[in-house]
Amino acid sequence: MDRREFLGVIAAGAAAGFTFPGREASAQAEAAALYDAPKFGNVSVLHFTDCHAQLLPIHFREPNVNLGIGSMAGRAPHLVGTALLKQFGLKAGSRHSFAFTHLDFVKLARQYGRVGGFAHLAALVKRVRATRPGALLLDGGDTWQGSGTSMWTNAQDMVDAAKLLGVDVMTLHWECTYGQERVEQVAKNDFAGKIEIVAQNIKTADFGDPVFEAYTMREINGVPVAIVGQAFPYTPIANPRYMVADWTFGIQEENMQATVDAARAAGAKAVILLSHNGMDVDLKLASRVRGIDAILGGHTHDGVPSPTIVQNPGGKTLVTNAGSNGKFLGVLDLDVRDGKVSDFRYRLLPVFADLLAPDAEMKALIDKIRAPHLAKLQEKLAVSEGLLYRRGNFNGTFDQLILDALMAEKNAEIAFSPGFRWGTSVLPGEAITMENVLDQTAITYPYTTLNEMTGEQIKVVLEDVCDNLFNPDPYYQQGGDMVRVGGLSYRCDPTAGAGKRISAMTLKGKPLEAAKKYKVAGWAPVAEEAKAAGGEPIWDLVARHLRAKKTLAPPKLNLPGLVGMEKNPGIAT
Amino acid sequence: MLRAGSGAGVVAALAAAGFFAPGEALAAWAKDAFEGKSVADAMKAMGATASGASGDVQIVASDIAENGAVVPIQAISKAANTQQIAIMVEKNPNVLAAIFDVGPDVLPDFTTRIKMGETSNVTVLVKADGKFLTATKEIKVTLGGCGG
């Protein structure tokens, strides 16, 4: 009898009125070992980030390709699979291996079940807060976007859920794709007196006035702690600029230093940066800005078990990244004495749904949010024979499905799909629901497009996105993955210079011609003209494609040939 | 505020505000320099035969432009007796974007917005005490999309 059958027997037994005290006790012991580490020091901060509006427990396969180039090669977060296990001392096949790597994903997903979900996250937050009175809960952003309900409610579902969860401070990225007016409206009304938005790097485009407070000072057990905010620096570039037309972003390193200095001058004994920079940018920033004790980071969706300690002219800074999709809760304990941080403990806790009893109040809110939309969300479009996932530098099977659907439905020879890092996974044999499709596509600019592009233009697009991923200077990266490409084969040398990484572009075995025009389908255009032109939302196109299929064979990944990456521990098969 | 290629306009505005004598402002319009197609051309037209990178020159700008059509650039000189500050965009069709003539009572710290066609090095050239000093920074202009 394998594990699955055994669980089936347990379910049957439970239905028949049997109980399994032994199993219950062992789950409790497992949860206690995972979640009940004693409090350390006198200042505790809890952190989650990039949950992408996932209110229910989900599956999320971590990448097997997360390449680091130049000085970033071979160091966290650019380690995958066994290299990651080795670096952080994790055991293959363990719950942690399941949470942090792609290894044996399908098998372990069936064994350990789903992760995350706001009712389970709420239970864990309460559990950790019980031993850490006064602990703050920080939300790194990308909370309002990524699901059908968040899109249909104009993010009201996540605004209400974050308030109930007890978030104290947050910063922004995808929130901005609901428009600057919506963000300001929530900040002034729903969040007033409850959740404070901080961002030192959002200014008005005309006079450079701050839009939000750069930092907030909070007293934790009598210790003044400054939480500085850093929104995603490239929001108006990676997402439509017209949605934040009056705001300007950027890394703003000098203003960051000035903000930290001001917080110290105002009496902060610890300074924490709540960052949506992405981990590589945070690592560089930590090496240059003085006076930050810890950076609690997000954006790049890297689940990193322990912090990287970075030296800078002012001392040391811890840099963390807390994964995505509600899978993790970061717990940072600081010992602040004699006016400074003297020691720390950090753990990134995976939120295992089977080890945590859902918080009743949060569960009731989620049920209420979902009730009006349930029929639409739960529509079964087709059954997937293979594993569907997105995350990875070059492609994922769910993206391949989107590319295949775009090419078929638009009668295009080539398709592009954005290198987003959010999007949940579907196990083999499961039905693909409308909710799954929306988990991959729910954005406020979902228009599908069909354009004629020359071979030369196609190369420019690939080179441009590739430089945003592999520029050796992290400040020139945007933190997304490579644009997913359907139909077209190519070779990629991540270590080559800008404009020289892409080669050997072929279509059906023939070299792409620079001057010839090709039909290219895509979605998520950032130009305002594309909004005016409209275009069928991507989820309708994919749903139509799937309904006609009934059963979806495992998508065949179109991956580029890679040059010079054989020994990079950021790639595994 | 200030717009791309507005060097002459800035000088005229400052002259009107009494910063310069009108003759000086007119002398500042360096036609050959503004028509230079390469950094070398523009520098030659400005009389800069030799220049060197200097910590006294600062260029403050974002690493990636939010909008290539309006890229905010701050050019600062801490060199004594700064006489001129110029902004050059290596890959623009006309390299020289702006020249500021700096009188004795003017703080050599200017912010303007320039236009950039593509990713390029941007150089701030300072003339101080008859010598030429520079600072250079790459500013990326990208197609956008596909983020996180």
Side-chain angles (χ1 to χ4, degrees), chain A residues 422-445:
Chain A
W422 39 272
T424 59
S425 306
V426 177
L427 298 185
E430 287 184 350
I432 308 165
T433 62
M434 192 65 194
E435 178 155 36
N436 296 138
V437 171
L438 288 161
D439 281 357
Q440 308 285 337
T441 58
I443 63 173
T444 53
Y445 49 106

Side-chain angles (χ1 to χ4, degrees), chain A residues 155-224:
Chain A
Q156 193 62 45
D157 63 337
M158 298 312 298
V159 168
D160 294 341
K163 280 165 68 182
L164 184 59
L165 188 65
V167 171
D168 294 293
V169 185
M170 87 176 287
T171 195
L172 306 171
H173 170 200
W174 275 92
E175 287 71 17
C176 299
T177 64
Y178 290 91
Q180 61 187 57
E181 293 81 11
R182 174 64 175 150
V183 177
E184 287 184 308
Q185 178 195 41
V186 170
K188 284 187 187 123
N189 299 297
D190 303 71
F191 280 2
K194 294 201 161 68
I195 301 178
E196 188 171 357
I197 296 175
V198 286
Q200 70 87 19
N201 60 335
I202 303 182
K203 303 277 176 63
T204 60
D206 50 6
F207 293 107
D209 295 326
V211 178
F212 303 98
E213 291 296 328
Y215 75 95
T216 178
M217 190 82 88
R218 302 296 175 98
E219 202 156 284
I220 305 178
N221 297 322
V223 179

Side-chain angles (χ1 to χ4, degrees), chain A residues 106-403:
Chain A
V106 172
K107 182 177 160 233
L108 297 181
R110 288 184 171 135
Q111 186 176 340
Y112 296 128
R114 291 171 183 263
V115 293
F118 261 54
H120 299 82
L121 181 62
L124 184 56
V125 166
K126 282 183 180 172
R127 186 171 181 149
V128 177
R129 271 186 157 160
T131 55
R132 287 161 175 78
L136 290 181
L137 177 59
L138 311 186
D139 172 354
D142 282 4
T143 302
W144 299 3
Q145 174 276 338
S147 70
T149 55
S150 63
M151 190 175 60
W152 293 325
T153 64
N154 204 17
Q156 193 62 45
D157 63 337
M158 298 312 298
V159 168
D160 294 341
K163 280 165 68 182
L164 184 59
L165 188 65
V167 171
D168 294 293
V169 185
M170 87 176 287
T171 195
L172 306 171
H173 170 200
W174 275 92
E175 287 71 17
C176 299
T177 64
Y178 290 91
Q180 61 187 57
E181 293 81 11
R182 174 64 175 150
V183 177
E184 287 184 308
Q185 178 195 41
V186 170
K188 284 187 187 123
N189 299 297
D190 303 71
F191 280 2
K194 294 201 161 68
I195 301 178
E196 188 171 357
I197 296 175
V198 286
Q200 70 87 19
N201 60 335
I202 303 182
K203 303 277 176 63
T204 60
D206 50 6
F207 293 107
D209 295 326
V211 178
F212 303 98
E213 291 296 328
Y215 75 95
T216 178
M217 190 82 88
R218 302 296 175 98
E219 202 156 284
I220 305 178
N221 297 322
V223 179
V225 178
I227 311 295
V228 180
Q230 175 83 340
F232 176 48
Y234 298 127
T235 303
I237 302 163
N239 305 104
R241 188 167 62 235
Y242 61 83
M243 288 166 168
V244 284
D246 299 330
W247 294 355
T248 178
F249 294 66
I251 294 171
Q252 308 290 350
E253 196 181 78
E254 292 187 1
N255 195 55
M256 177 68 76
Q257 185 65 66
T259 301
V260 173
D261 292 347
R264 292 278 178 192
K269 302 296 181 226
V271 174
I272 290 167
L273 175 60
L274 177 62
S275 167
H276 207 98
N277 274 334
M279 187 148 178
D280 290 330
V281 176
D282 281 334
L283 288 168
K284 179 174 174 185
L285 187 102
S287 73
R288 293 160 61 91
V289 174
R290 303 171 305 276
I292 300 172
D293 294 300
I295 299 180
L296 300 179
H299 183 55
T300 37
H301 294 195
D302 302 306
V304 183
S306 44
T308 301
I309 300 173
V310 179
Q311 295 275 358
N312 58 55
K316 289 176 188 170
T317 300
L318 306 173
V319 177
T320 73
N321 211 267
S324 68
N325 286 269
K327 274 180 83 169
F328 301 102
L329 179 69
V331 181
L332 177 67
D333 292 337
L334 298 174
D335 191 21
V336 185
R337 59 176 70 189
D338 305 327
K340 62 185 176 64
V341 174
S342 63
D343 201 0
F344 77 95
R345 297 287 183 276
Y346 176 82
R347 289 174 306 139
L348 188 57
L349 304 175
V351 182
F352 291 112
D354 70 333
L355 294 183
L356 293 157
D359 178 76
E361 209 182 340
M362 185 66 83
K363 187 177 178 306
L365 174 65
I366 294 169
D367 289 345
K368 192 178 139 209
I369 288 164
R370 293 173 57 82
H373 310 289
L374 262 192
K376 200 168 173 189
L377 292 170
Q378 292 178 344
E379 183 196 354
K380 292 179 178 177
L381 302 169
V383 172
S384 178
E385 290 180 350
L387 170 69
L388 298 180
Y389 65 93
R390 168 173 280 162
R391 181 76 179 87
N393 280 164
F394 294 100
N395 204 353
T397 46
F398 216 126
D399 283 318
Q400 189 65 52
L401 155 60
I402 291 171
L403 294 167

Side-chain angles (χ1 to χ4, degrees), chain A residues 413 449-455 457-458 516-521:
Chain A
E413 356 176 34
T449 56
L450 182 64
N451 292 306
E452 283 206 325
M453 294 173 76
T454 63
Q457 288 171 326
I458 291 167
K516 192 177 164 185
K517 286 186 171 174
Y518 299 90
K519 282 170 78 179
V520 183

Side-chain angles (χ1 to χ4, degrees), chain A residues 174 205-206 234 236-238 241 248-250 299 420 422 464 467-468 475-476 478 480 526, chain B residues 1 58 60 62-67 113 137-148:
Chain A
W174 275 92
D206 50 6
Y234 298 127
I237 302 163
R241 188 167 62 235
T248 178
F249 294 66
H299 183 55
F420 296 137
W422 39 272
D464 191 74
D467 192 59
N468 288 336
Y475 280 13
Y476 292 91
Q478 286 178 23
V526 294
Chain B
M1 292 292 286
Q58 282 176 22
V60 182
S62 61
D63 302 293
I64 307 181
E66 291 182 359
N67 179 357
R113 296 177 183 193
K137 176 186 173 70
E138 184 181 46
I139 298 176
K140 189 163 145 176
V141 178
T142 168
L143 300 172
C146 299

Side-chain angles (χ1 to χ4, degrees), chain A residues 458-525:
Chain A
I458 291 167
K459 180 164 191 292
V460 166
V461 168
L462 295 185
E463 292 282 7
D464 191 74
V465 182
C466 205
D467 192 59
N468 288 336
L469 178 60
F470 293 126
N471 193 299
D473 183 343
Y475 280 13
Y476 292 91
Q477 297 173 3
Q478 286 178 23
D481 278 316
M482 182 66 183
V483 58
R484 278 70 169 114
V485 180
L488 176 78
S489 301
Y490 68 101
R491 197 179 297 150
C492 176
D493 180 355
T495 60
K500 299 190 177 86
R501 295 187 180 92
I502 308 295
S503 63
M505 299 167 70
T506 60
L507 186 64
K508 297 189 182 91
K510 285 188 189 158
L512 210 68
E513 293 174 41
K516 192 177 164 185
K517 286 186 171 174
Y518 299 90
K519 282 170 78 179
V520 183
W523 64 286

Side-chain angles (χ1 to χ4, degrees), chain A residues 30-108:
Chain A
E30 229 182 325
L34 262 172
Y35 298 134
D36 296 341
K39 170 192 163 156
F40 173 84
N42 50 352
V43 168
S44 294
V45 178
L46 317 184
H47 174 234
F48 73 97
T49 192
D50 298 83
C51 74
H52 285 284
Q54 294 303 322
L55 288 171
L56 295 185
I58 48 89
H59 290 300
F60 183 84
R61 177 191 182 273
E62 297 296 334
N64 65 311
V65 186
N66 192 19
L67 293 165
I69 298 304
S71 63
M72 294 156 282
R75 65 179 206 179
H78 299 287
L79 299 167
V80 299
T82 48
L84 187 148
L85 294 184
K86 196 175 159 210
Q87 171 74 27
F88 295 103
L90 307 177
K91 210 174 122 211
S94 67
R95 277 188 182 270
H96 282 94
S97 171
F98 168 57
F100 288 103
T101 74
H102 70 285
L103 299 167
D104 287 326
F105 181 76
V106 172
K107 182 177 160 233
L108 297 181

